[in-house]
């Protein structure tokens, strides 16, 4: 996590390419390394959020409560509106426990009848940092069995 000075994350004041905040996911390294890395709190938070949502509860050794309940919701009857509320509540509950330094500003659901038959839902999640709500970003997550 970045060092905070008041309400501004010091490492986010300017783009840098020397102070690594953490490891990225779903990307390859752009500097011939094994892992992609993040240099800002916002980009690391995006990857942390995606990792939290994509992890099933019970999947992490020694952290059986880490993760999100979305996976168990996919095989419930998908009724437009109801499933949206359940998924949103699941994400917010997980974020409140594991990533309490962010706000979930908006969750946009993208699925149709074909997606429902395949038990998959695509999400676009807009979030911001509690320490500086002007810093916000969007991430896309595709949940499918």
């Amino acid at each position: 996590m970045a060092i905070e000075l008041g309400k501004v994350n010091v490492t986010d004041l300017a783009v840098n390419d020397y102070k690594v905040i953490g490891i990225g996911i779903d990307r390859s390294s752009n500097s011939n390394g094994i892992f992609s890395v993040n240099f800002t709190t916002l980009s690391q938070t995006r990857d942390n959020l995606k990792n939290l949502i994509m992890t099933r509860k019970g999947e992490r050794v020694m952290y059986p409560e880490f993760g999100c309940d979305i996976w168990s919701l996919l095989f419930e009857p998908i009724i437009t509106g109801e499933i949206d509320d359940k998924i949103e509540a699941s994400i917010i509950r997980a974020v409140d426990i594991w990533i309490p330094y962010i706000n979930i500003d908006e969750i946009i659901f993208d699925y149709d009848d074909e997606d429902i038959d395949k038990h998959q839902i695509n999400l676009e999640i807009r979030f911001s940092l509690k320490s500086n709500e002007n810093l916000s970003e969007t991430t896309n997550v595709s949940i499918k069995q």
Side-chain angles (χ1 to χ4, degrees):
M1 179 70 194
I3 301 168
E4 288 187 5
L5 179 64
K7 289 217 168 239
V8 178
N9 292 318
V10 174
T11 57
D12 291 330
L13 293 176
V15 176
N16 71 73
D17 59 357
Y18 59 90
K19 188 170 184 175
V20 174
I21 303 276
I23 296 173
I25 61 170
D26 290 344
R27 296 188 315 271
S28 60
S29 174
N30 56 0
S31 60
N32 297 325
I34 296 173
F35 300 107
S36 63
V37 293
N38 292 311
F39 296 100
T40 65
T41 303
L42 200 56
S43 63
Q44 184 61 44
T45 301
R46 180 192 62 231
D47 286 343
N48 289 348
L49 178 60
K50 197 169 197 176
N51 184 41
L52 177 65
I53 293 170
M54 297 298 292
T55 303
R56 298 171 196 229
K57 280 195 170 186
E59 185 176 347
R60 290 272 314 263
V61 176
M62 303 300 290
Y63 288 101
E65 292 299 313
F66 182 83
C68 197
D69 287 328
I70 287 180
W71 301 97
S72 63
L73 296 172
L74 282 182
F75 285 102
E76 288 189 12
I78 296 180
I79 301 168
T80 305
E82 287 182 25
I83 193 72
D84 298 1
D85 293 339
K86 289 179 181 179
I87 288 175
E88 186 171 342
S90 175
I91 291 171
I92 290 171
R93 192 170 37 253
V95 166
D96 285 346
I97 294 169
W98 297 102
I99 315 175
Y101 57 90
I102 70 170
N103 294 317
I104 300 295
D105 299 325
E106 183 178 21
I107 300 175
I108 299 170
F109 295 85
D110 179 25
Y111 59 90
D112 56 21
D113 290 339
E114 186 176 317
D115 292 334
I116 290 171
D117 291 340
K118 294 179 181 177
H119 300 286
Q120 70 181 34
I121 292 179
N122 300 309
L123 307 171
E124 182 179 318
I125 303 171
R126 194 180 56 168
F127 64 93
S128 60
L129 299 176
K130 285 184 179 177
S131 62
N132 186 350
E133 293 182 4
N134 295 325
L135 292 175
S136 66
E137 190 161 330
T138 301
T139 187
N140 294 311
V141 179
S142 182
I143 308 294
K144 52 187 160 188
Q145 290 287 24

